[in-house]
Amino acid sequence: MIGVFDSGSGGLTILEALHEAMPEQDFLYLGDHANAPYGHRSNEQIVDMTRQCVETLFGAGCDLVVLACNTAAAIALRTLQQDWLPKAYPNKRVLGVLVPMVEALTGVPWSQEHPNGGKPKDRSILLFATRKTVESGSYLDEVNKRAPHVALVQKACPGLVDAIEGGAGDAPMRGLIDGFVGEVLADVPAPDAAVLGCTHFPLVRDYFRRALPATTELLSQPEIVAKSLKDYLARHAEFQESGSGHIRLLTTGRPQDVTMADAYLPEKLRHFEDHTRA
């Protein structure tokens, strides 16, 4: 059973893609709705809350957990991998969404780093993300290490996660996203590509698609992450388990209050249980 963690319901976009790519796998999802969103939290809080939720998934029988939250992956993943897992859970693994996205944006494997300089920047990519992800500089730093020819332009989208979780209607959602996209297009009018660097944002992908130029490629984070995990499992057979394709959803909040998914996701991804039942 593979664990999938997100600060709320946004990670369901990743879970849906994982299930489609690996229908034989069992998945256990945990959304930390009681503490969402993570964007305004301190780094210390994000690390602590992420660790607690990962530990819950470990305790429920998951040996491998995917951080489907860009903020958690950008802020907490390295600390968990380097300082916590080797001591507490040496035989378990935590992966994030940042690594496969950086590889997709740069075309360079994660293990390869190149110094800045050399080839001039001839490709522009927009990154729409939460304020915390942008402030962490994780995407920008890692892209610069590997692909000096890529100009990554980051745009924080404050309030968008709240709007999605709250089920905002068409007009306010369109206005919010048109505003974010319009601001960045004023500086980069013809970007080559754009990526939605928050797992909530693919839920409103169509709004971004309409707001962006038709020539701008809109990269799919869920599909990229799903392919990356499938490749990882092919290389690490110890984390592959035969299952029945079962999906179970847990929340740290009140299940009856987790209603956002009703508007955007299929029936199988709508029914949450209390996380204490893990």
Side-chain angles (χ1 to χ4, degrees), residues 102-157:
V102 169
E103 290 180 333
L105 292 174
T106 63
V108 178
W110 183 259
S111 58
Q112 296 181 22
E113 296 183 3
H114 302 286
N116 287 322
K119 188 176 180 181
K121 296 186 184 300
D122 60 5
R123 180 169 166 81
S124 58
I125 300 178
L126 308 181
L127 171 69
F128 296 96
T130 64
R131 177 181 59 83
K132 201 69 177 180
T133 296
V134 169
E135 288 178 351
S136 76
S138 295
Y139 274 101
L140 190 61
D141 291 345
E142 299 300 342
V143 168
N144 284 340
K145 289 178 185 177
R146 293 164 176 80
H149 66 285
V150 172
L152 184 67
V153 180
Q154 303 183 102
K155 178 59 182 175
C157 302

Short mmCIF file of all heavy atoms in Angstrom, two decimals, residues 102-157:
data_model
loop_
_atom_site.label_atom_id
_atom_site.label_comp_id
_atom_site.label_asym_id
_atom_site.label_seq_id
_atom_site.Cartn_x
_atom_site.Cartn_y
_atom_site.Cartn_z
N VAL A 102 11.10 19.08 -11.54
CA VAL A 102 12.35 19.73 -11.94
C VAL A 102 12.97 18.97 -13.11
O VAL A 102 13.48 19.58 -14.07
CB VAL A 102 13.33 19.83 -10.75
CG1 VAL A 102 14.71 20.25 -11.23
CG2 VAL A 102 12.81 20.82 -9.72
N GLU A 103 12.92 17.65 -13.05
CA GLU A 103 13.45 16.85 -14.16
C GLU A 103 12.68 17.14 -15.45
O GLU A 103 13.27 17.24 -16.53
CB GLU A 103 13.38 15.37 -13.81
CG GLU A 103 14.35 14.95 -12.72
CD GLU A 103 14.28 13.47 -12.39
OE1 GLU A 103 13.20 12.89 -12.59
OE2 GLU A 103 15.29 12.92 -11.94
N ALA A 104 11.36 17.29 -15.34
CA ALA A 104 10.55 17.57 -16.52
C ALA A 104 10.80 18.97 -17.07
O ALA A 104 10.83 19.18 -18.28
CB ALA A 104 9.07 17.40 -16.19
N LEU A 105 10.98 19.93 -16.17
CA LEU A 105 11.20 21.31 -16.59
C LEU A 105 12.56 21.50 -17.25
O LEU A 105 12.71 22.32 -18.16
CB LEU A 105 11.10 22.25 -15.39
CG LEU A 105 9.72 22.40 -14.75
CD1 LEU A 105 9.81 23.25 -13.49
CD2 LEU A 105 8.73 23.01 -15.72
N THR A 106 13.54 20.74 -16.80
CA THR A 106 14.92 20.94 -17.27
C THR A 106 15.37 19.92 -18.31
O THR A 106 16.29 20.18 -19.08
CB THR A 106 15.90 20.90 -16.10
OG1 THR A 106 15.86 19.59 -15.49
CG2 THR A 106 15.57 21.95 -15.06
N GLY A 107 14.74 18.74 -18.29
CA GLY A 107 15.22 17.67 -19.15
C GLY A 107 16.52 17.06 -18.65
O GLY A 107 17.20 16.35 -19.38
N VAL A 108 16.84 17.33 -17.39
CA VAL A 108 18.09 16.85 -16.79
C VAL A 108 17.77 15.98 -15.57
O VAL A 108 16.98 16.39 -14.72
CB VAL A 108 18.98 18.04 -16.35
CG1 VAL A 108 20.26 17.54 -15.68
CG2 VAL A 108 19.32 18.92 -17.55
N PRO A 109 18.37 14.78 -15.45
CA PRO A 109 18.13 13.95 -14.27
C PRO A 109 18.51 14.68 -12.98
O PRO A 109 19.42 15.51 -12.97
CB PRO A 109 19.04 12.74 -14.50
CG PRO A 109 19.24 12.69 -15.98
CD PRO A 109 19.26 14.12 -16.42
N TRP A 110 17.81 14.36 -11.91
CA TRP A 110 18.03 15.02 -10.63
C TRP A 110 19.48 14.91 -10.16
O TRP A 110 20.02 15.83 -9.54
CB TRP A 110 17.10 14.41 -9.57
CG TRP A 110 17.18 15.06 -8.23
CD1 TRP A 110 17.85 14.61 -7.13
CD2 TRP A 110 16.58 16.29 -7.83
NE1 TRP A 110 17.69 15.46 -6.08
CE2 TRP A 110 16.91 16.52 -6.47
CE3 TRP A 110 15.78 17.23 -8.49
CZ2 TRP A 110 16.48 17.63 -5.77
CZ3 TRP A 110 15.34 18.34 -7.79
CH2 TRP A 110 15.69 18.53 -6.45
N SER A 111 20.12 13.80 -10.48
CA SER A 111 21.49 13.56 -10.00
C SER A 111 22.53 14.42 -10.70
O SER A 111 23.68 14.48 -10.27
CB SER A 111 21.86 12.08 -10.19
OG SER A 111 21.74 11.71 -11.55
N GLN A 112 22.13 15.09 -11.79
CA GLN A 112 23.08 15.90 -12.53
C GLN A 112 22.85 17.39 -12.25
O GLN A 112 21.73 17.87 -12.34
CB GLN A 112 22.95 15.65 -14.03
CG GLN A 112 23.31 14.24 -14.45
CD GLN A 112 23.19 14.05 -15.95
OE1 GLN A 112 23.25 15.00 -16.71
NE2 GLN A 112 23.02 12.81 -16.37
N GLU A 113 23.92 18.09 -11.90
CA GLU A 113 23.86 19.52 -11.67
C GLU A 113 24.91 20.20 -12.53
O GLU A 113 26.02 19.68 -12.70
CB GLU A 113 24.08 19.86 -10.20
CG GLU A 113 22.99 19.33 -9.27
CD GLU A 113 23.21 19.75 -7.83
OE1 GLU A 113 24.18 20.48 -7.58
OE2 GLU A 113 22.42 19.33 -6.97
N HIS A 114 24.56 21.33 -13.08
CA HIS A 114 25.49 22.09 -13.90
C HIS A 114 25.59 23.50 -13.35
O HIS A 114 24.59 24.07 -12.88
CB HIS A 114 25.01 22.14 -15.35
CG HIS A 114 24.84 20.79 -15.96
ND1 HIS A 114 25.90 20.01 -16.33
CD2 HIS A 114 23.73 20.06 -16.25
CE1 HIS A 114 25.45 18.87 -16.83
NE2 HIS A 114 24.15 18.87 -16.78
N PRO A 115 26.76 24.12 -13.38
CA PRO A 115 26.90 25.48 -12.89
C PRO A 115 26.16 26.48 -13.78
O PRO A 115 25.95 26.23 -14.96
CB PRO A 115 28.41 25.72 -12.93
CG PRO A 115 28.90 24.80 -14.01
CD PRO A 115 28.02 23.58 -13.92
N ASN A 116 25.77 27.59 -13.20
CA ASN A 116 25.13 28.65 -13.98
C ASN A 116 26.11 29.19 -15.02
O ASN A 116 27.32 29.10 -14.89
CB ASN A 116 24.69 29.80 -13.07
CG ASN A 116 23.48 29.42 -12.24
OD1 ASN A 116 22.59 28.73 -12.72
ND2 ASN A 116 23.45 29.85 -11.00
N GLY A 117 25.55 29.79 -16.04
CA GLY A 117 26.40 30.35 -17.09
C GLY A 117 26.32 29.51 -18.34
O GLY A 117 25.54 28.57 -18.45
N GLY A 118 27.14 29.83 -19.33
CA GLY A 118 27.14 29.07 -20.56
C GLY A 118 26.02 29.48 -21.48
O GLY A 118 25.86 30.64 -21.82
N LYS A 119 25.21 28.52 -21.83
CA LYS A 119 24.14 28.74 -22.80
C LYS A 119 23.17 29.82 -22.33
O LYS A 119 22.69 29.78 -21.19
CB LYS A 119 23.40 27.42 -23.03
CG LYS A 119 22.38 27.47 -24.16
CD LYS A 119 21.77 26.10 -24.37
CE LYS A 119 20.76 26.12 -25.50
NZ LYS A 119 20.14 24.79 -25.70
N PRO A 120 22.85 30.80 -23.16
CA PRO A 120 21.92 31.86 -22.75
C PRO A 120 20.52 31.30 -22.54
O PRO A 120 20.16 30.26 -23.09
CB PRO A 120 21.97 32.84 -23.92
CG PRO A 120 22.38 32.00 -25.09
CD PRO A 120 23.35 31.00 -24.53
N LYS A 121 19.73 32.01 -21.75
CA LYS A 121 18.37 31.56 -21.47
C LYS A 121 17.52 31.72 -22.73
O LYS A 121 17.33 32.83 -23.21
CB LYS A 121 17.79 32.36 -20.30
CG LYS A 121 18.54 32.13 -18.99
CD LYS A 121 17.85 32.83 -17.84
CE LYS A 121 18.65 32.68 -16.54
NZ LYS A 121 18.83 31.29 -16.12
N ASP A 122 17.06 30.58 -23.25
CA ASP A 122 16.27 30.62 -24.47
C ASP A 122 14.91 29.95 -24.32
O ASP A 122 14.22 29.71 -25.29
CB ASP A 122 17.04 29.98 -25.62
CG ASP A 122 17.39 28.51 -25.35
OD1 ASP A 122 16.95 27.97 -24.31
OD2 ASP A 122 18.10 27.91 -26.16
N ARG A 123 14.54 29.63 -23.10
CA ARG A 123 13.24 29.00 -22.84
C ARG A 123 12.66 29.59 -21.57
O ARG A 123 13.32 29.64 -20.54
CB ARG A 123 13.41 27.49 -22.70
CG ARG A 123 12.12 26.72 -22.43
CD ARG A 123 12.35 25.23 -22.59
NE ARG A 123 11.26 24.43 -22.04
CZ ARG A 123 10.12 24.18 -22.68
NH1 ARG A 123 9.91 24.69 -23.88
NH2 ARG A 123 9.19 23.42 -22.13
N SER A 124 11.43 30.06 -21.64
CA SER A 124 10.78 30.68 -20.48
C SER A 124 9.65 29.79 -20.00
O SER A 124 8.82 29.32 -20.79
CB SER A 124 10.24 32.07 -20.84
OG SER A 124 9.32 31.99 -21.91
N ILE A 125 9.62 29.55 -18.69
CA ILE A 125 8.60 28.72 -18.07
C ILE A 125 8.00 29.45 -16.88
O ILE A 125 8.74 30.00 -16.05
CB ILE A 125 9.18 27.37 -17.61
CG1 ILE A 125 9.77 26.60 -18.80
CG2 ILE A 125 8.10 26.53 -16.92
CD1 ILE A 125 10.42 25.29 -18.42
N LEU A 126 6.69 29.47 -16.79
CA LEU A 126 6.00 30.09 -15.67
C LEU A 126 5.68 29.03 -14.62
O LEU A 126 5.28 27.91 -14.96
CB LEU A 126 4.69 30.75 -16.12
CG LEU A 126 4.76 31.72 -17.29
CD1 LEU A 126 3.37 32.30 -17.57
CD2 LEU A 126 5.75 32.83 -17.01
N LEU A 127 5.86 29.38 -13.36
CA LEU A 127 5.50 28.49 -12.26
C LEU A 127 4.47 29.20 -11.39
O LEU A 127 4.77 30.22 -10.77
CB LEU A 127 6.72 28.14 -11.41
CG LEU A 127 6.44 27.39 -10.11
CD1 LEU A 127 5.96 25.97 -10.41
CD2 LEU A 127 7.67 27.34 -9.21
N PHE A 128 3.25 28.69 -11.37
CA PHE A 128 2.20 29.20 -10.49
C PHE A 128 2.16 28.31 -9.26
O PHE A 128 2.00 27.09 -9.36
CB PHE A 128 0.85 29.19 -11.20
CG PHE A 128 0.79 30.10 -12.40
CD1 PHE A 128 1.02 29.61 -13.67
CD2 PHE A 128 0.53 31.45 -12.24
CE1 PHE A 128 0.98 30.44 -14.78
CE2 PHE A 128 0.49 32.30 -13.35
CZ PHE A 128 0.72 31.80 -14.62
N ALA A 129 2.30 28.90 -8.07
CA ALA A 129 2.40 28.10 -6.85
C ALA A 129 1.90 28.90 -5.65
O ALA A 129 1.47 30.06 -5.79
CB ALA A 129 3.86 27.67 -6.65
N THR A 130 1.95 28.29 -4.48
CA THR A 130 1.60 29.01 -3.26
C THR A 130 2.73 29.97 -2.89
O THR A 130 3.87 29.83 -3.36
CB THR A 130 1.39 28.04 -2.09
OG1 THR A 130 2.63 27.38 -1.79
CG2 THR A 130 0.33 27.00 -2.41
N ARG A 131 2.43 30.91 -2.05
CA ARG A 131 3.44 31.88 -1.62
C ARG A 131 4.61 31.17 -0.96
O ARG A 131 5.77 31.51 -1.17
CB ARG A 131 2.80 32.89 -0.65
CG ARG A 131 3.79 33.91 -0.08
CD ARG A 131 3.09 34.85 0.88
NE ARG A 131 2.48 34.15 1.99
CZ ARG A 131 3.13 33.76 3.08
NH1 ARG A 131 4.43 33.98 3.20
NH2 ARG A 131 2.51 33.14 4.07
N LYS A 132 4.32 30.16 -0.14
CA LYS A 132 5.37 29.47 0.60
C LYS A 132 6.30 28.72 -0.35
O LYS A 132 7.53 28.71 -0.16
CB LYS A 132 4.75 28.49 1.60
CG LYS A 132 5.69 28.11 2.74
CD LYS A 132 5.93 29.29 3.67
CE LYS A 132 6.80 28.92 4.84
NZ LYS A 132 7.02 30.05 5.75
N THR A 133 5.75 28.08 -1.37
CA THR A 133 6.58 27.37 -2.33
C THR A 133 7.48 28.34 -3.08
O THR A 133 8.68 28.09 -3.28
CB THR A 133 5.71 26.59 -3.33
OG1 THR A 133 4.97 25.58 -2.62
CG2 THR A 133 6.55 25.91 -4.39
N VAL A 134 6.92 29.48 -3.49
CA VAL A 134 7.72 30.48 -4.20
C VAL A 134 8.82 31.03 -3.29
O VAL A 134 9.99 31.14 -3.69
CB VAL A 134 6.82 31.63 -4.70
CG1 VAL A 134 7.67 32.80 -5.20
CG2 VAL A 134 5.90 31.13 -5.81
N GLU A 135 8.47 31.35 -2.05
CA GLU A 135 9.45 31.92 -1.13
C GLU A 135 10.57 30.93 -0.80
O GLU A 135 11.71 31.33 -0.53
CB GLU A 135 8.77 32.36 0.17
CG GLU A 135 7.90 33.60 0.02
CD GLU A 135 7.21 33.98 1.31
OE1 GLU A 135 7.26 33.18 2.28
OE2 GLU A 135 6.60 35.06 1.36
N SER A 136 10.28 29.64 -0.83
CA SER A 136 11.31 28.64 -0.53
C SER A 136 12.42 28.66 -1.58
O SER A 136 13.56 28.28 -1.28
CB SER A 136 10.69 27.24 -0.47
OG SER A 136 10.41 26.74 -1.77
N GLY A 137 12.10 29.08 -2.79
CA GLY A 137 13.09 29.12 -3.86
C GLY A 137 13.53 27.75 -4.35
O GLY A 137 14.47 27.65 -5.14
N SER A 138 12.84 26.69 -3.92
CA SER A 138 13.29 25.33 -4.24
C SER A 138 13.27 25.06 -5.74
O SER A 138 14.24 24.55 -6.31
CB SER A 138 12.40 24.31 -3.53
OG SER A 138 12.55 24.42 -2.12
N TYR A 139 12.17 25.40 -6.39
CA TYR A 139 12.09 25.16 -7.83
C TYR A 139 13.14 25.99 -8.56
O TYR A 139 13.86 25.50 -9.44
CB TYR A 139 10.70 25.51 -8.36
CG TYR A 139 9.70 24.39 -8.26
CD1 TYR A 139 8.75 24.36 -7.24
CD2 TYR A 139 9.70 23.35 -9.19
CE1 TYR A 139 7.82 23.33 -7.16
CE2 TYR A 139 8.77 22.32 -9.11
CZ TYR A 139 7.83 22.32 -8.09
OH TYR A 139 6.92 21.29 -8.01
N LEU A 140 13.24 27.26 -8.22
CA LEU A 140 14.17 28.15 -8.90
C LEU A 140 15.61 27.69 -8.73
O LEU A 140 16.38 27.64 -9.70
CB LEU A 140 14.00 29.58 -8.37
CG LEU A 140 14.72 30.69 -9.13
CD1 LEU A 140 14.22 30.77 -10.56
CD2 LEU A 140 14.51 32.03 -8.41
N ASP A 141 15.98 27.34 -7.52
CA ASP A 141 17.35 26.90 -7.25
C ASP A 141 17.69 25.63 -8.03
O ASP A 141 18.77 25.53 -8.63
CB ASP A 141 17.55 26.64 -5.75
CG ASP A 141 17.52 27.92 -4.93
OD1 ASP A 141 17.64 29.01 -5.51
OD2 ASP A 141 17.37 27.82 -3.70
N GLU A 142 16.80 24.67 -8.00
CA GLU A 142 17.10 23.39 -8.63
C GLU A 142 17.10 23.49 -10.15
O GLU A 142 17.89 22.84 -10.83
CB GLU A 142 16.09 22.33 -8.17
CG GLU A 142 16.09 22.05 -6.67
CD GLU A 142 17.44 21.56 -6.14
OE1 GLU A 142 18.27 21.11 -6.96
OE2 GLU A 142 17.67 21.62 -4.93
N VAL A 143 16.21 24.32 -10.71
CA VAL A 143 16.21 24.52 -12.16
C VAL A 143 17.49 25.23 -12.59
O VAL A 143 18.13 24.86 -13.58
CB VAL A 143 14.97 25.31 -12.61
CG1 VAL A 143 15.11 25.78 -14.06
CG2 VAL A 143 13.71 24.46 -12.46
N ASN A 144 17.91 26.24 -11.84
CA ASN A 144 19.13 26.98 -12.19
C ASN A 144 20.37 26.10 -12.15
O ASN A 144 21.31 26.29 -12.92
CB ASN A 144 19.31 28.17 -11.25
CG ASN A 144 18.38 29.32 -11.58
OD1 ASN A 144 17.85 29.41 -12.68
ND2 ASN A 144 18.17 30.20 -10.61
N LYS A 145 20.39 25.13 -11.22
CA LYS A 145 21.54 24.22 -11.12
C LYS A 145 21.69 23.35 -12.36
O LYS A 145 22.80 22.97 -12.74
CB LYS A 145 21.38 23.29 -9.91
CG LYS A 145 21.55 23.94 -8.55
CD LYS A 145 21.31 22.90 -7.48
CE LYS A 145 21.34 23.49 -6.08
NZ LYS A 145 21.03 22.47 -5.05
N ARG A 146 20.55 23.02 -12.98
CA ARG A 146 20.55 22.02 -14.03
C ARG A 146 20.37 22.57 -15.44
O ARG A 146 20.80 21.94 -16.40
CB ARG A 146 19.43 20.99 -13.74
CG ARG A 146 19.72 20.18 -12.50
CD ARG A 146 18.49 19.45 -11.98
NE ARG A 146 18.88 18.61 -10.84
CZ ARG A 146 19.06 19.10 -9.61
NH1 ARG A 146 18.85 20.38 -9.35
NH2 ARG A 146 19.44 18.30 -8.63
N ALA A 147 19.71 23.71 -15.57
CA ALA A 147 19.37 24.20 -16.90
C ALA A 147 19.48 25.72 -16.95
O ALA A 147 18.47 26.43 -16.88
CB ALA A 147 17.95 23.76 -17.28
N PRO A 148 20.70 26.24 -17.10
CA PRO A 148 20.88 27.69 -17.17
C PRO A 148 20.14 28.35 -18.33
O PRO A 148 19.91 29.55 -18.31
CB PRO A 148 22.40 27.84 -17.33
CG PRO A 148 22.98 26.57 -16.79
CD PRO A 148 21.98 25.51 -17.13
N HIS A 149 19.78 27.54 -19.33
CA HIS A 149 19.08 28.11 -20.48
C HIS A 149 17.60 28.33 -20.22
O HIS A 149 16.91 28.92 -21.04
CB HIS A 149 19.25 27.19 -21.69
CG HIS A 149 18.59 25.86 -21.54
ND1 HIS A 149 19.09 24.87 -20.74
CD2 HIS A 149 17.44 25.36 -22.08
CE1 HIS A 149 18.31 23.81 -20.79
NE2 HIS A 149 17.29 24.08 -21.59
N VAL A 150 17.09 27.86 -19.07
CA VAL A 150 15.68 28.01 -18.74
C VAL A 150 15.48 29.21 -17.82
O VAL A 150 16.12 29.30 -16.75
CB VAL A 150 15.13 26.74 -18.06
CG1 VAL A 150 13.71 26.98 -17.55
CG2 VAL A 150 15.14 25.57 -19.04
N ALA A 151 14.61 30.11 -18.21
CA ALA A 151 14.23 31.24 -17.36
C ALA A 151 12.93 30.87 -16.66
O ALA A 151 11.86 30.86 -17.29
CB ALA A 151 14.06 32.51 -18.18
N LEU A 152 13.02 30.53 -15.38
CA LEU A 152 11.83 30.15 -14.62
C LEU A 152 11.29 31.39 -13.91
O LEU A 152 11.97 32.01 -13.10
CB LEU A 152 12.18 29.08 -13.59
CG LEU A 152 10.98 28.52 -12.79
CD1 LEU A 152 10.05 27.74 -13.71
CD2 LEU A 152 11.46 27.64 -11.65
N VAL A 153 10.05 31.73 -14.23
CA VAL A 153 9.40 32.91 -13.64
C VAL A 153 8.32 32.42 -12.69
O VAL A 153 7.37 31.74 -13.09
CB VAL A 153 8.79 33.81 -14.73
CG1 VAL A 153 8.11 35.03 -14.10
CG2 VAL A 153 9.86 34.24 -15.72
N GLN A 154 8.46 32.74 -11.41
CA GLN A 154 7.54 32.26 -10.39
C GLN A 154 6.43 33.28 -10.11
O GLN A 154 6.68 34.48 -10.09
CB GLN A 154 8.29 31.98 -9.08
CG GLN A 154 9.43 30.99 -9.22
CD GLN A 154 10.07 30.70 -7.88
OE1 GLN A 154 9.82 29.66 -7.27
NE2 GLN A 154 10.91 31.61 -7.42
N LYS A 155 5.24 32.77 -9.88
CA LYS A 155 4.11 33.63 -9.53
C LYS A 155 3.34 33.02 -8.36
O LYS A 155 2.75 31.95 -8.48
CB LYS A 155 3.17 33.81 -10.73
CG LYS A 155 1.94 34.66 -10.43
CD LYS A 155 2.32 36.05 -9.96
CE LYS A 155 1.09 36.88 -9.60
NZ LYS A 155 1.47 38.19 -9.03
N ALA A 156 3.38 33.69 -7.22
CA ALA A 156 2.60 33.25 -6.06
C ALA A 156 1.13 33.56 -6.29
O ALA A 156 0.78 34.62 -6.84
CB ALA A 156 3.11 33.93 -4.80
N CYS A 157 0.27 32.66 -5.86
CA CYS A 157 -1.17 32.83 -6.05
C CYS A 157 -1.89 32.78 -4.70
O CYS A 157 -2.61 31.81 -4.39
CB CYS A 157 -1.71 31.74 -6.96
SG CYS A 157 -0.93 31.68 -8.59
#
